[in-house]
Amino acid sequence: MIILITGASHVGKTVLAQRLLEKYHFPYLSIDHLKMGLIRSKNTQLTPEDDDELTEYLWPIVREMIKTAIENLQNLIVEGCYIPFDWRKDLTEEYSSQIRFVCLAMSDAYIDAHFADIRKHGSDVESRGEDTDCTAEWLKEGNRAVIKGFREAGEQVTVIEDNYEEALAATEDKRVG
């Protein structure tokens, strides 16, 4: 089984991946680590700020890694924001039936009510450094885009409205377990 986790920045993709790793003992691949390895090794001219171009560049690589894991009957958690809204078009039913898709997003109201906590927990699993670009409006724009894009593509999106921990637990139980 492949667990594919995506969503907006700061929504908890890596936290969920870490929890699933601890629960199921599946390895996980951070698309951010792949991105930075390719950038730092100079295998691409893209930079960490080139989000749209990075999705186009990284998805074919990640997609083929997912297919290889499925073909080898291996479990894998893949998490990151560089997953296109129409990701299913690149996979046959043979592959997509083996993938549990999870998309996380936060509502505007949740961001307004919990912005300080979102920033405080931004480095719970991996260090974000100063993270000065993270503003409430930037988070809202990113989350709105994720919700709109994946819903228009026919995907379910878990929108965190009130209780973060309950939303994460419900997502894990419904879509993964």
XYZ file of all heavy atoms in Angstrom, residues 72-159:
706
model
N 6.743 -3.944 -6.568
C 7.548 -4.773 -5.677
C 6.812 -5.150 -4.390
O 7.424 -5.684 -3.465
C 8.865 -4.067 -5.337
C 9.796 -4.045 -6.524
O 10.067 -5.071 -7.129
N 10.281 -2.869 -6.869
N 5.505 -4.842 -4.347
C 4.665 -5.159 -3.190
C 5.211 -4.558 -1.897
O 5.174 -5.173 -0.831
C 4.489 -6.673 -3.043
C 3.949 -7.403 -4.270
C 3.913 -8.902 -4.032
C 2.576 -6.875 -4.661
N 5.715 -3.332 -2.008
C 6.279 -2.639 -0.855
C 5.341 -1.529 -0.390
O 4.707 -0.859 -1.203
C 7.628 -2.032 -1.218
C 8.674 -3.075 -1.536
C 9.941 -2.462 -2.097
O 9.889 -1.689 -3.039
N 11.070 -2.815 -1.504
N 5.276 -1.351 0.907
C 4.523 -0.254 1.496
C 5.399 0.980 1.544
O 6.610 0.877 1.778
C 4.078 -0.627 2.912
C 3.162 -1.829 2.911
O 2.224 -1.904 2.133
N 3.439 -2.779 3.780
N 4.777 2.140 1.349
C 5.547 3.380 1.350
C 4.613 4.551 1.640
O 3.506 4.616 1.110
C 6.215 3.588 -0.018
C 7.085 4.822 -0.215
C 8.296 4.801 0.714
C 7.525 4.924 -1.677
N 5.084 5.459 2.485
C 4.399 6.726 2.729
C 5.158 7.787 1.933
O 6.377 7.889 2.046
C 4.417 7.087 4.225
C 3.723 5.998 5.054
C 3.767 8.455 4.458
C 4.024 6.073 6.542
N 4.440 8.542 1.122
C 5.035 9.625 0.343
C 4.330 10.905 0.751
O 3.103 10.973 0.694
C 4.867 9.392 -1.179
C 5.444 10.547 -1.968
C 5.491 8.069 -1.592
N 5.112 11.903 1.185
C 4.473 13.141 1.622
C 5.160 14.348 1.026
O 6.376 14.376 0.858
C 4.425 13.234 3.152
C 5.744 13.374 3.855
C 6.241 14.801 4.029
O 5.497 15.756 3.779
O 7.409 14.958 4.370
N 4.341 15.322 0.676
C 4.869 16.570 0.155
C 3.815 17.353 -0.594
O 2.740 16.845 -0.911
N 4.151 18.585 -0.880
C 3.187 19.457 -1.564
C 3.326 19.407 -3.083
O 2.518 19.991 -3.786
C 3.327 20.889 -1.061
S 4.939 21.617 -1.327
N 4.304 18.687 -3.607
C 4.559 18.699 -5.049
C 3.829 17.560 -5.761
O 4.409 16.787 -6.504
C 6.066 18.650 -5.316
C 6.779 19.802 -4.675
C 7.537 19.628 -3.521
C 6.651 21.093 -5.181
C 8.160 20.700 -2.912
C 7.270 22.174 -4.576
C 8.027 21.970 -3.443
O 8.634 23.030 -2.840
N 2.533 17.479 -5.506
C 1.680 16.469 -6.132
C 0.627 17.224 -6.938
O -0.098 18.057 -6.382
C 1.031 15.555 -5.070
C 2.141 14.818 -4.312
C 0.044 14.591 -5.715
C 1.677 14.077 -3.089
N 0.543 16.981 -8.229
C -0.420 17.744 -9.041
C -1.863 17.368 -8.688
O -2.142 16.258 -8.251
C -0.075 17.337 -10.477
C 0.630 16.037 -10.367
C 1.306 16.021 -9.029
N -2.761 18.320 -8.895
C -4.171 18.085 -8.592
C -4.699 16.882 -9.368
O -5.488 16.105 -8.857
C -5.012 19.322 -8.923
C -4.614 20.553 -8.147
C -4.473 21.770 -8.801
C -4.378 20.505 -6.785
C -4.124 22.914 -8.103
C -4.025 21.649 -6.071
C -3.892 22.859 -6.735
N -4.259 16.716 -10.604
C -4.756 15.636 -11.463
C -3.809 14.426 -11.461
O -3.668 13.740 -12.462
C -4.961 16.142 -12.883
C -3.672 16.648 -13.526
O -2.637 16.783 -12.833
O -3.705 16.917 -14.742
N -3.195 14.133 -10.340
C -2.185 13.076 -10.233
C -2.690 11.723 -10.709
O -1.922 10.918 -11.211
C -1.652 12.973 -8.802
C -2.670 12.525 -7.798
C -3.552 13.316 -7.126
C -2.913 11.189 -7.367
N -4.336 12.552 -6.292
C -3.959 11.242 -6.425
C -2.346 9.955 -7.683
C -4.462 10.109 -5.795
C -2.844 8.823 -7.053
C -3.891 8.907 -6.118
N -3.965 11.436 -10.576
C -4.500 10.119 -10.950
C -4.423 9.854 -12.459
O -4.360 8.704 -12.880
C -5.942 9.963 -10.490
C -6.076 9.830 -8.998
C -7.510 9.512 -8.603
N -7.687 9.645 -7.186
C -7.529 8.654 -6.304
N -7.186 7.459 -6.716
N -7.729 8.869 -5.014
N -4.405 10.915 -13.267
C -4.406 10.717 -14.722
C -3.157 9.974 -15.195
O -3.149 9.385 -16.262
C -4.548 12.044 -15.465
C -3.288 12.896 -15.504
C -3.450 14.107 -16.388
C -2.262 14.990 -16.397
N -0.962 14.395 -16.649
N -2.111 10.014 -14.392
C -0.845 9.391 -14.761
C -0.725 7.937 -14.318
O 0.325 7.334 -14.504
C 0.317 10.181 -14.142
C 0.389 11.594 -14.689
O 0.108 11.776 -15.890
O 0.730 12.515 -13.923
N -1.781 7.400 -13.713
C -1.716 6.046 -13.163
C -2.907 5.222 -13.622
O -4.037 5.709 -13.629
C -1.702 6.098 -11.632
C -0.503 6.808 -11.008
C -0.794 7.141 -9.556
C 0.738 5.953 -11.114
N -2.663 3.981 -13.962
C -3.769 3.079 -14.287
C -4.441 2.631 -12.991
O -3.904 2.808 -11.894
C -3.251 1.835 -15.033
O -2.400 1.098 -14.147
C -2.514 2.214 -16.312
N -5.588 2.041 -13.110
C -6.323 1.521 -11.949
C -5.478 0.519 -11.171
O -5.557 0.445 -9.940
C -7.642 0.879 -12.409
C -8.442 0.210 -11.311
C -8.916 1.157 -10.215
O -9.041 2.363 -10.454
O -9.166 0.659 -9.092
N -4.667 -0.255 -11.867
C -3.771 -1.219 -11.221
C -2.921 -0.539 -10.154
O -2.685 -1.089 -9.080
C -2.870 -1.869 -12.277
C -1.743 -2.706 -11.716
C -0.728 -3.099 -12.780
O -0.841 -2.648 -13.944
O 0.182 -3.864 -12.434
N -2.461 0.661 -10.444
C -1.641 1.403 -9.490
C -2.492 2.227 -8.525
O -2.287 2.185 -7.314
C -0.656 2.323 -10.216
C 0.371 1.578 -11.018
C 0.340 1.585 -12.404
C 1.384 0.855 -10.382
C 1.301 0.899 -13.142
C 2.340 0.159 -11.110
C 2.289 0.190 -12.493
O 3.230 -0.495 -13.217
N -3.436 2.983 -9.047
C -4.191 3.901 -8.183
C -5.005 3.165 -7.125
O -5.246 3.711 -6.045
C -5.081 4.835 -9.007
O -6.028 4.114 -9.739
N -5.396 1.924 -7.401
C -6.149 1.156 -6.397
C -5.285 0.789 -5.196
O -5.807 0.421 -4.145
C -6.731 -0.102 -7.031
O -5.690 -1.002 -7.397
N -3.989 0.912 -5.326
C -3.064 0.581 -4.236
C -2.629 1.822 -3.443
O -1.769 1.732 -2.567
C -1.814 -0.112 -4.793
C -2.102 -1.399 -5.537
C -2.752 -2.434 -4.625
O -2.268 -2.690 -3.539
N -3.855 -2.994 -5.076
N -3.233 2.965 -3.761
C -2.836 4.229 -3.138
C -3.968 4.763 -2.273
O -5.111 4.850 -2.717
C -2.462 5.273 -4.216
C -1.275 4.771 -5.039
C -2.158 6.629 -3.576
C -0.965 5.621 -6.257
N -3.626 5.103 -1.038
C -4.545 5.796 -0.137
C -4.125 7.261 -0.165
O -3.021 7.593 0.253
C -4.461 5.264 1.288
C -4.727 3.794 1.438
C -6.182 3.455 1.093
N -6.398 2.022 1.151
C -6.308 1.185 0.129
N -5.988 1.644 -1.072
N -6.539 -0.096 0.273
N -5.010 8.103 -0.665
C -4.702 9.524 -0.848
C -5.231 10.335 0.324
O -6.395 10.190 0.712
C -5.334 10.019 -2.153
C -5.121 11.475 -2.416
C -3.889 11.943 -2.847
C -6.152 12.384 -2.235
C -3.679 13.296 -3.099
C -5.964 13.740 -2.484
C -4.719 14.180 -2.916
N -4.389 11.192 0.879
C -4.767 12.074 1.976
C -4.347 13.486 1.608
O -3.181 13.737 1.295
C -4.075 11.665 3.301
C -4.410 12.645 4.406
C -4.439 10.244 3.693
N -5.298 14.393 1.635
C -5.011 15.809 1.391
C -5.506 16.600 2.592
O -6.676 16.498 2.972
C -5.710 16.288 0.119
S -5.374 18.025 -0.237
N -4.605 17.365 3.182
C -4.921 18.172 4.359
C -4.927 19.653 4.004
O -4.083 20.116 3.237
C -3.875 17.945 5.452
C -3.683 16.518 5.950
C -2.492 16.457 6.895
C -4.944 16.015 6.628
N -5.872 20.369 4.579
C -5.927 21.822 4.404
C -6.582 22.423 5.635
O -7.276 21.730 6.389
C -6.712 22.194 3.151
N -6.359 23.693 5.826
C -6.947 24.420 6.951
C -7.894 25.494 6.430
O -7.616 26.133 5.412
C -5.849 25.091 7.786
C -4.908 24.130 8.446
S -3.571 25.045 9.262
C -2.588 23.689 9.877
N -8.997 25.692 7.143
C -9.937 26.746 6.768
C -9.362 28.106 7.165
O -8.481 28.210 8.023
C -11.283 26.534 7.464
O -11.153 26.764 8.863
N -9.886 29.154 6.538
C -9.487 30.509 6.903
C -9.732 30.761 8.390
O -8.895 31.345 9.082
C -10.265 31.547 6.091
C -9.790 31.683 4.659
O -8.858 30.953 4.248
O -10.357 32.533 3.946
N -10.893 30.311 8.883
C -11.237 30.537 10.291
C -10.258 29.827 11.214
O -9.855 30.380 12.251
C -12.668 30.065 10.565
N -9.850 28.615 10.839
C -8.886 27.892 11.661
C -7.550 28.644 11.688
O -6.936 28.799 12.751
C -8.680 26.465 11.152
C -7.738 25.690 12.036
C -8.221 25.014 13.160
C -6.368 25.671 11.789
C -7.351 24.337 14.007
C -5.491 24.996 12.623
C -5.998 24.329 13.730
O -5.127 23.672 14.565
N -7.105 29.107 10.540
C -5.843 29.849 10.477
C -5.928 31.120 11.318
O -5.013 31.429 12.086
C -5.459 30.153 9.011
C -5.139 28.845 8.277
C -4.279 31.128 8.949
C -5.046 28.972 6.771
N -7.042 31.842 11.212
C -7.200 33.059 12.018
C -7.142 32.743 13.510
O -6.493 33.452 14.274
C -8.535 33.751 11.703
C -8.521 34.485 10.376
O -7.418 34.862 9.896
O -9.612 34.670 9.794
N -7.812 31.688 13.925
C -7.895 31.353 15.351
C -6.616 30.732 15.903
O -6.358 30.819 17.103
C -9.081 30.414 15.588
N -5.813 30.101 15.032
C -4.679 29.313 15.520
C -3.346 29.679 14.861
O -2.411 28.876 14.900
C -4.957 27.820 15.294
C -6.191 27.344 15.977
N -6.226 27.032 17.321
C -7.442 27.130 15.511
C -7.441 26.650 17.654
N -8.205 26.701 16.570
N -3.241 30.861 14.285
C -2.037 31.207 13.547
C -0.767 31.081 14.401
O 0.240 30.535 13.952
C -2.138 32.614 12.949
C -0.918 33.011 12.177
C -0.582 32.373 10.985
C -0.067 34.008 12.656
C 0.561 32.718 10.276
C 1.074 34.372 11.959
C 1.389 33.728 10.770
N -0.793 31.543 15.616
C 0.396 31.460 16.477
C 0.793 30.002 16.708
O 1.986 29.662 16.671
C 0.146 32.165 17.804
N -0.182 29.138 16.918
C 0.112 27.709 17.114
C 0.657 27.065 15.845
O 1.563 26.232 15.907
C -1.143 26.945 17.560
C -1.524 27.238 19.000
O -0.624 27.565 19.797
O -2.723 27.138 19.313
N 0.106 27.439 14.701
C 0.598 26.903 13.421
C 2.073 27.241 13.267
O 2.886 26.375 12.942
C -0.244 27.450 12.241
C -1.680 26.945 12.324
C 0.407 27.086 10.903
C -2.655 27.688 11.406
N 2.422 28.479 13.516
C 3.834 28.894 13.420
C 4.689 28.178 14.461
O 5.788 27.744 14.170
C 3.959 30.400 13.594
C 3.349 31.152 12.444
C 4.173 32.127 11.798
N 5.481 32.335 12.374
C 6.437 32.958 11.749
N 6.223 33.422 10.559
N 7.611 33.138 12.285
N 4.163 28.058 15.672
C 4.913 27.427 16.762
C 5.234 25.967 16.448
O 6.311 25.477 16.768
C 4.111 27.521 18.064
C 4.821 26.931 19.277
C 4.031 27.193 20.544
C 2.977 26.140 20.682
N 2.228 26.191 21.926
N 4.317 25.274 15.772
C 4.491 23.844 15.478
C 5.116 23.591 14.110
O 5.266 22.447 13.698
C 3.153 23.108 15.590
C 2.653 23.029 16.988
N 3.211 22.194 17.924
C 1.657 23.703 17.612
C 2.572 22.333 19.072
N 1.632 23.253 18.910
N 5.500 24.633 13.424
C 6.061 24.502 12.079
C 7.309 23.648 11.984
O 7.605 23.093 10.930
N 8.036 23.510 13.069
C 9.279 22.719 13.063
C 9.184 21.491 13.965
O 10.193 21.007 14.467
C 10.456 23.595 13.499
O 10.697 24.612 12.555
N 7.986 20.973 14.158
C 7.818 19.817 15.046
C 8.607 18.592 14.582
O 9.111 17.837 15.406
C 6.340 19.435 15.201
C 5.608 20.327 16.187
O 6.253 21.214 16.792
O 4.391 20.140 16.357
N 8.696 18.361 13.281
C 9.401 17.181 12.771
C 10.701 17.566 12.079
O 11.700 16.879 12.200
C 8.499 16.357 11.816
C 9.252 15.177 11.238
C 7.239 15.894 12.546
N 10.680 18.656 11.340
C 11.892 19.118 10.659
C 12.008 20.624 10.804
O 11.005 21.318 10.893
C 11.899 18.699 9.188
C 10.710 19.176 8.391
C 10.633 18.566 7.006
O 11.347 17.601 6.721
O 9.854 19.071 6.216
N 13.229 21.127 10.821
C 13.476 22.540 11.080
C 13.133 23.401 9.866
O 13.568 23.118 8.755
C 14.945 22.749 11.456
O 15.200 24.123 11.615
N 12.382 24.456 10.100
C 12.045 25.415 9.052
C 12.885 26.676 9.142
O 12.713 27.586 8.348
C 10.573 25.803 9.140
C 9.621 24.712 8.775
C 8.202 25.264 8.810
N 7.227 24.237 8.570
C 6.768 23.903 7.372
N 7.233 24.520 6.307
N 5.863 22.961 7.245
N 13.735 26.785 10.142
C 14.528 28.000 10.298
C 13.650 29.166 10.717
O 12.684 29.014 11.447
N 13.955 30.348 10.210
C 13.232 31.566 10.589
C 11.772 31.560 10.131
O 10.898 32.049 10.806
C 13.938 32.797 10.020
C 15.222 33.132 10.738
C 14.990 33.556 12.166
O 14.115 34.388 12.430
O 15.709 33.031 13.050
N 11.508 31.053 8.926
C 10.145 30.937 8.394
C 9.426 32.282 8.338
O 8.236 32.380 8.629
C 9.364 29.926 9.231
C 8.224 29.288 8.464
O 8.240 29.337 7.218
O 7.311 28.729 9.110
N 10.151 33.336 7.961
C 9.595 34.688 7.952
C 8.536 34.908 6.868
O 7.738 35.833 6.971
C 10.711 35.740 7.775
O 11.458 35.419 6.593
C 11.635 35.764 8.976
N 8.508 34.064 5.852
C 7.508 34.213 4.781
C 6.123 33.736 5.201
O 5.142 33.993 4.509
C 7.931 33.437 3.537
C 9.179 34.018 2.891
O 9.489 35.194 3.149
O 9.845 33.296 2.132
N 6.037 33.035 6.312
C 4.773 32.471 6.759
C 3.917 33.539 7.432
O 4.154 33.933 8.573
C 5.024 31.303 7.714
S 3.501 30.533 8.296
N 2.901 33.993 6.686
C 1.924 34.930 7.229
C 0.560 34.270 7.173
O 0.358 33.296 6.429
C 1.885 36.240 6.420
O 1.405 35.929 5.089
C 3.255 36.899 6.343
N -0.378 34.792 7.930
C -1.734 34.235 7.910
C -2.326 34.314 6.501
O -2.944 33.350 6.027
C -2.620 34.956 8.914
N -2.139 35.429 5.830
C -2.707 35.572 4.482
C -2.059 34.596 3.503
O -2.736 34.009 2.660
C -2.575 37.013 3.980
C -3.376 37.280 2.729
C -4.857 36.895 2.841
O -5.488 37.139 3.881
O -5.382 36.324 1.857
N -0.746 34.406 3.594
C -0.047 33.452 2.734
C -0.572 32.037 2.970
O -0.808 31.292 2.002
C 1.454 33.539 3.008
C 2.285 32.594 2.209
C 2.637 32.707 0.896
C 2.882 31.374 2.677
N 3.414 31.628 0.509
C 3.575 30.803 1.596
C 2.890 30.724 3.906
C 4.271 29.602 1.712
C 3.591 29.529 4.026
C 4.264 28.984 2.918
N -0.770 31.658 4.239
C -1.329 30.335 4.551
C -2.744 30.180 3.989
O -3.084 29.139 3.419
C -1.346 30.090 6.060
C -0.008 29.841 6.725
C -0.180 29.739 8.245
C 0.655 28.583 6.183
N -3.558 31.215 4.150
C -4.932 31.156 3.631
C -4.942 30.964 2.120
O -5.688 30.135 1.590
C -5.704 32.422 4.001
C -6.053 32.530 5.467
C -6.761 33.858 5.714
C -6.876 34.166 7.165
N -7.504 35.479 7.393
N -4.121 31.723 1.409
C -4.058 31.597 -0.053
C -3.652 30.188 -0.456
O -4.244 29.596 -1.360
C -3.073 32.619 -0.630
C -3.571 34.042 -0.592
C -2.506 35.041 -1.027
O -1.503 34.640 -1.658
O -2.684 36.242 -0.735
N -2.636 29.662 0.194
C -2.172 28.312 -0.118
C -3.215 27.248 0.167
O -3.423 26.328 -0.636
N -3.890 27.361 1.288
C -4.913 26.385 1.639
C -6.122 26.477 0.725
O -6.664 25.458 0.308
C -5.317 26.553 3.111
C -4.335 25.886 4.044
O -4.454 24.705 4.347
N -3.331 26.633 4.487
N -6.523 27.698 0.375
C -7.644 27.855 -0.568
C -7.309 27.213 -1.918
O -8.153 26.552 -2.529
C -7.961 29.330 -0.775
C -8.669 29.986 0.371
C -9.018 31.439 0.008
N -9.025 32.247 1.199
C -8.338 33.380 1.355
N -7.611 33.869 0.365
N -8.411 34.051 2.480
N -6.091 27.412 -2.381
C -5.678 26.834 -3.673
C -5.689 25.310 -3.618
O -6.138 24.652 -4.567
C -4.293 27.345 -4.061
N -5.206 24.732 -2.535
C -5.199 23.271 -2.383
C -6.623 22.730 -2.355
O -6.953 21.763 -3.045
C -4.415 22.868 -1.107
C -4.719 21.443 -0.698
C -2.923 23.061 -1.328
N -7.483 23.348 -1.561
C -8.876 22.897 -1.459
C -9.547 22.967 -2.822
O -10.155 21.992 -3.284
C -9.650 23.742 -0.419
C -9.107 23.474 0.987
C -11.146 23.458 -0.499
C -9.559 24.488 2.044
N -9.444 24.099 -3.484
C -10.080 24.285 -4.794
C -9.520 23.301 -5.827
O -10.277 22.615 -6.515
C -9.858 25.723 -5.264
C -10.489 26.061 -6.605
C -10.226 27.532 -6.954
C -10.939 27.974 -8.200
N -10.384 27.447 -9.426
N -8.206 23.229 -5.931
C -7.584 22.391 -6.958
C -7.890 20.915 -6.801
O -8.266 20.246 -7.771
N -7.747 20.392 -5.598
C -7.992 18.956 -5.418
C -9.479 18.629 -5.473
O -9.859 17.588 -6.020
C -7.345 18.443 -4.122
C -5.875 18.196 -4.287
C -4.942 19.015 -3.677
C -5.412 17.148 -5.081
C -3.580 18.803 -3.849
C -4.054 16.928 -5.261
C -3.143 17.753 -4.644
N -10.332 19.494 -4.956
C -11.780 19.229 -5.058
C -12.238 19.264 -6.516
O -13.029 18.428 -6.932
C -12.570 20.217 -4.203
C -12.517 19.845 -2.734
C -13.447 20.685 -1.909
N -13.487 20.217 -0.536
C -13.927 20.938 0.469
N -14.372 22.172 0.276
N -13.932 20.431 1.692
N -11.743 20.221 -7.292
C -12.101 20.273 -8.711
C -11.620 19.037 -9.457
O -12.209 18.641 -10.454
C -11.554 21.543 -9.360
C -12.327 22.777 -8.977
C -11.788 24.056 -9.595
O -10.748 24.018 -10.306
O -12.406 25.118 -9.349
N -10.542 18.424 -8.964
C -10.027 17.195 -9.574
C -10.765 15.955 -9.049
O -10.447 14.839 -9.454
C -8.530 17.062 -9.302
N -11.744 16.167 -8.172
C -12.553 15.056 -7.667
C -11.978 14.360 -6.446
O -12.438 13.270 -6.083
N -11.012 14.968 -5.798
C -10.386 14.356 -4.622
C -11.048 14.838 -3.330
O -11.551 15.956 -3.267
C -8.888 14.702 -4.564
C -8.088 14.233 -5.754
C -7.938 12.726 -5.849
O -8.271 12.004 -4.881
O -7.489 12.262 -6.917
N -11.008 13.990 -2.317
C -11.460 14.377 -0.987
C -10.359 15.189 -0.320
O -9.175 14.858 -0.439
C -11.738 13.156 -0.125
C -13.026 12.444 -0.452
C -13.311 11.385 0.595
O -12.523 10.461 0.765
N -14.420 11.524 1.278
N -10.761 16.227 0.373
C -9.824 17.066 1.115
C -10.311 17.133 2.555
O -11.480 17.440 2.799
C -9.744 18.495 0.522
C -8.797 19.365 1.340
C -9.321 18.454 -0.941
N -9.438 16.829 3.489
C -9.754 17.001 4.901
C -9.450 18.448 5.254
O -8.285 18.848 5.243
C -8.915 16.057 5.773
O -9.232 14.702 5.431
C -9.170 16.294 7.254
N -10.492 19.215 5.531
C -10.319 20.616 5.895
C -10.404 20.725 7.415
O -11.419 20.368 8.012
C -11.366 21.521 5.220
C -11.162 22.981 5.631
C -11.302 21.376 3.705
